[in-house]
């Protein structure tokens, strides 16, 4: 592809093509960090001869993200971009795992390497795992892999874990906005001489008279603060707009929200991971600024691309309300779903296309108001630390035309570098009869895609089903045969409920359950998390079964007292919406015509 320099114009006829990559939720942890601690150097990895600072497999299999192998996935993604010649790279938050010095500095080193050696430009915005507390503070993790495979706690102070043997290291403390943005100052948080324009929410937009020196003078974080209600306290807002190449404006929105209790500026802070439902209230200054930025971009014929850690549109393919009814309002991260009112605020302010992370899913959401005056596309960028591991690219050939492609990370070099250490951990857990023993099947993974897939499978069995699913619904979905589902789909309400009750009673009284259709719940997570990428992994015979059975089931009715039928019908209505989603793999968006179309590969 043609590489585009800083001053290459974006030609309306599309003779030049600009390509931007989006890598989200990297959750980078320095796997060979210098803890600068006399208490613990890490654990010796015989494969490399280096001391690894990694978390246990037990902790990884109880988390919605990986902590260790995603380091290698990040490097693989950057190498892929380098080979493709893509030089503009956006990181929509959670670029580190909790913003500790060792992790921020590891990211800094990696980004500086690719910037200086290959001319790549990086633009970041903060996520809830980057500035956990706005002004930093003591922190620690109790689940690093230690001697002989047992857990090792590491903290900035022993008092963080008073009941444990703690290795002390200030490299594991939280950094706040001042430290994180200073270390990563070259990556969007502050002006760069290469940029044609840069501004933040607390200054006037003066495109005509822009100068780098004036931008730098006004970019100090002390000048980029807003009052926290009537507390007398002020918080930084790391938002900015930048024109890295002519015609493209990248709008970085810092959606982090914090509350404060106590008197100490450094203590008493609590972060929220809800996103713009709260940011639209506590950061109203952002909405006013977005309106100005969008109007200025339109006036000057710029393509405005918004990005934040947090989504701006519902991300369950319209199924969120049904999911709340079936699973409960606080399951499946439903409290993080933007309300229609929130989407309307940001669409009305002028955002047409928005790239987000946070949810660790692949999805495309579309908001359109009743008058069809405002349309907003929300592109969910998957995480590099979870299934499906992928990044997205956006090609802009005209001002309003985007071609968006999702690039899975199937093969990742060094993916199995720590597998022998995990086996040592597993032996320790067995010998000590630890209840957290995990399934070693994951260590047979042939590639990174399979590894993250197995990670999701283990999470589904050990965490998601027990905590999120109605017991009888899970029991039915894991054990009903295709024949039984067909029979039930053709029975009337009353007889259908009796039929299901008999199956539930039989299963509960049986000492063994077949689990023959565990695949239905697995397929649900493939669709919910992976969308088009997940659907590809569902075998053809099951896809055919769903196409046959779902249209029949979703037409069935139920009364509230028919609890088994109600739950099963609701589940398949949700499944149907996920199954027939907006394009999320390779597709085009025309902002002028308000159209989105799948591109067949």
């Amino acid at each position: 592809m043609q590489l585009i320099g800083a001053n290459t114009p974006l030609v309306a006829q599309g003779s030049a093509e600009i390509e931007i990559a989006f890598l989200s939720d990297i959750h980078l942890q320095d796997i060979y960090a210098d803890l600068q601690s006399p208490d613990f150097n890490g654990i010796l990895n015989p494969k490399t001869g280096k001391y690894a600072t990694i978390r246990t497999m037990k902790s990884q299999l109880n988390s919605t993200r990986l902590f260790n192998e995603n380091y290698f996935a990040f490097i693989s993604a950057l190498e892929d971009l380098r080979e493709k010649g893509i030089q503009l790279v956006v990181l929509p938050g959670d670029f580190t795992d909790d913003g500790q010095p060792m992790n921020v500095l590891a990211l800094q080193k990696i980004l500086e390497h690719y910037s200086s050696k290959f001319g790549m430009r990086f633009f970041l915005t903060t996520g809830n795992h980057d500035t956990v507390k706005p002004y930093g503070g003591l922190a620690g993790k109790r689940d690093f892999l230690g001697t002989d495979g047992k857990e090792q706690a590491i903290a900035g102070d022993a008092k963080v874990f008073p009941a444990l043997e703690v290795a002390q290291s200030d490299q594991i403390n939280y950094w706040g906005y001042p430290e994180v943005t200073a270390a990563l100052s070259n990556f969007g948080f502050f002006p760069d001489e290469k940029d044609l324009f840069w501004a933040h929410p607390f200054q006037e937009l003066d495109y005509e008279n822009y100068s780098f020196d004036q931008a730098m003078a006004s970019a100090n974080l002390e000048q980029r603060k807003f009052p926290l209600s009537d507390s007398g306290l002020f918080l930084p807002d790391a938002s900015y707009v930048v024109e890295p190449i002519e015609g493209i404006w990248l709008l970085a929105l810092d959606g982090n929200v914090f509350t404060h209790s106590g008197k100490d500026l450094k203590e008493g802070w609590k972060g929220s991971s809800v996103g713009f439902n709260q940011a639209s209230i506590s950061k109203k200054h952002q909405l006013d600024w977005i309106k100005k930025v969008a109007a200025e971009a339109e006036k000057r014929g710029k393509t405005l691309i918004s990005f934040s850690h947090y989504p701006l549109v519902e991300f369950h393919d319209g199924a969120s309300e049904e999911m709340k009814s079936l699973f409960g309002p606080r399951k499946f991260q439903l409290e993080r779903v933007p309300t229609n009112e929130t989407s309307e605020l940001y669409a009305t302010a002028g955002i047409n296309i928005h790239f987000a992370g946070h949810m660790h899913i692949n999805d495309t959401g579309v908001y359109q108001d009743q008058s069809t005056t405002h349309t907003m596309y929300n592109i969910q960028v998957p995480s590099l630390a979870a299934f499906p591991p992928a990044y997205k690219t956006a090609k802009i050939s005209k001002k309003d035309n985007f071609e968006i492609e999702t690039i899975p990370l199937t093969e990742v070099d060094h993916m199995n570098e720590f597998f022998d250490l995990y086996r040592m951990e597993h032996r320790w857990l067995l010998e000590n009869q630890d209840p957290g023993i995990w399934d070693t099947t994951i260590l047979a993974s042939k590639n990174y895609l399979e590894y993250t897939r197995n990670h999701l499978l283990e999470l589904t069995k050990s965490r998601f089903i027990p905590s999120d699913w109605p017991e009888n619904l899970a029991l039915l979905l894991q054990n009903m045969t295709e024949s039984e589902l067909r029979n039930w789909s053709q029975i009337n309400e009353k007889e259908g409920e009796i039929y299901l009750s008999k199956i539930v009673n039989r299963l509960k009284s049986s000492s063994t359950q077949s689990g023959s259709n565990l695949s239905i719940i697995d397929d649900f997570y493939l669709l919910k998390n992976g969308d088009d990428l997940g659907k590809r992994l569902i075998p053809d015979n099951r896809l055919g079964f769903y196409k046959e059975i779902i249209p029949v089931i979703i037409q069935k009715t139920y009364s509230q007292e028919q609890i088994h039928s109600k739950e099963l019908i609701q589940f398949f209505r949700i499944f149907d919406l996920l199954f027939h989603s907006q394009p999320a793999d390779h597709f085009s968006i025309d902002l002028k015509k308000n159209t989105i179309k799948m591109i067949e590969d």
Side-chain angles (χ1 to χ4, degrees), residues 531-550:
D531 208 290
D532 292 335
L533 300 184
K535 188 182 284 189
R536 288 183 199 161
L537 299 179
I538 301 175
D540 288 343
N541 65 317
R542 291 214 299 271
L543 288 174
F545 173 68
Y546 296 140
K547 289 174 183 176
E548 170 203 341
I549 200 76
I550 289 175

Side-chain angles (χ1 to χ4, degrees), residues 173-465:
N173 286 333
Y174 295 135
W175 263 0
Y177 276 96
E179 297 88 357
V180 170
T181 57
L184 303 173
S185 60
N186 293 333
F187 310 116
F189 290 124
F190 294 90
D192 191 296
E193 286 184 285
K194 299 183 187 75
D195 299 323
L196 302 176
F197 180 65
W198 186 97
H200 63 73
F202 306 98
Q203 63 180 143
E204 290 299 317
L205 286 173
D206 190 358
Y207 190 79
E208 294 289 347
N209 300 304
Y210 176 76
S211 81
F212 169 72
D213 291 337
Q214 288 180 349
M216 278 300 291
S218 72
N220 188 292
L221 211 59
E222 286 299 315
Q223 300 177 61
R224 297 161 65 184
K225 289 184 175 181
F226 67 99
L228 183 66
S229 61
D230 57 355
S231 66
L233 298 174
F234 287 78
L235 278 173
D237 182 341
S239 301
Y240 61 90
V241 62
V242 62
E243 185 173 10
I245 56 176
E246 188 172 337
I248 297 292
W249 278 20
L250 297 175
L251 176 62
L253 298 176
D254 175 3
N256 285 344
V257 173
F258 300 92
T259 56
H260 184 266
S261 59
K263 299 178 180 179
D264 191 328
L265 182 66
K266 280 223 165 191
E267 298 299 326
W269 291 102
K270 186 176 181 182
S272 167
S273 60
V274 170
F276 286 105
N277 286 338
Q278 292 181 347
S280 60
I281 299 168
S282 63
K283 290 185 167 181
K284 286 184 178 178
H285 65 274
Q286 275 188 4
L287 278 163
D288 295 334
W289 180 62
I290 291 167
K291 290 175 185 176
K292 294 175 185 176
V293 170
E296 191 74 8
E298 183 64 27
K299 172 184 171 183
R300 300 187 179 279
K302 310 295 183 182
T303 297
L304 182 65
I305 302 170
S306 168
F307 69 97
S308 173
H309 187 53
Y310 304 97
L312 280 173
V313 176
E314 193 265 356
F315 45 76
H316 286 136
D317 302 308
S320 289
E321 288 306 312
E322 192 86 70
M323 289 172 77
K324 286 179 184 177
S325 173
L326 176 58
F327 298 110
R330 299 191 65 81
K331 303 295 185 180
F332 288 90
Q333 305 186 77
L334 287 164
E335 69 274 14
R336 295 175 169 180
V337 174
T339 64
N340 207 54
E341 292 75 16
T342 296
S343 299
E344 182 180 21
L345 284 172
Y346 289 88
T348 303
I351 292 178
N352 297 130
I353 189 162
H354 180 76
F355 288 82
H358 193 40
M359 307 314 305
H360 298 187
I361 62 172
N362 181 43
D363 182 71
T364 305
V366 183
Y367 166 82
Q368 193 167 62
D369 64 13
Q370 290 184 343
S371 65
T372 69
T373 305
H374 300 105
T375 302
M376 181 167 61
Y377 297 88
N378 184 88
I379 315 299
Q380 282 301 131
V381 183
S383 170
L384 298 189
F387 177 85
Y391 66 88
K392 289 189 184 276
T393 60
K395 293 178 185 175
I396 306 112
S397 54
K398 296 180 181 179
K399 178 180 179 295
D400 300 311
N401 285 63
F402 292 77
E403 179 186 338
I404 295 168
E405 189 169 3
T406 314
I407 315 296
L409 287 176
T410 302
E411 301 292 340
V412 167
D413 289 342
H414 303 286
M415 183 202 78
N416 60 356
E417 190 158 304
F418 303 124
F419 280 20
D420 286 344
L421 296 180
Y422 298 143
R423 291 184 181 100
M424 177 181 67
E425 172 199 342
H426 192 268
R427 286 194 297 272
W428 189 91
L429 293 172
L430 276 175
E431 290 167 3
N432 290 271
Q433 298 181 332
D434 191 293
I437 193 72
W438 41 269
D439 187 346
T440 56
T441 302
I442 193 168
L443 301 182
S445 303
K446 296 180 181 65
N447 55 50
Y448 191 62
L449 180 62
E450 186 178 330
Y451 183 66
T452 58
R453 170 82 177 100
N454 286 332
H455 176 254
L456 177 59
L457 279 169
E458 188 64 24
L459 271 177
T460 300
K461 288 187 291 184
S462 64
R463 176 174 161 180
F464 293 155
I465 291 177

Side-chain angles (χ1 to χ4, degrees), residues 73-86:
F74 181 42
I75 301 300
S76 288
L78 293 176
E79 283 296 297
D80 198 31
L81 295 177
R82 178 184 66 79
E83 290 173 6
K84 291 175 178 174
I86 299 175

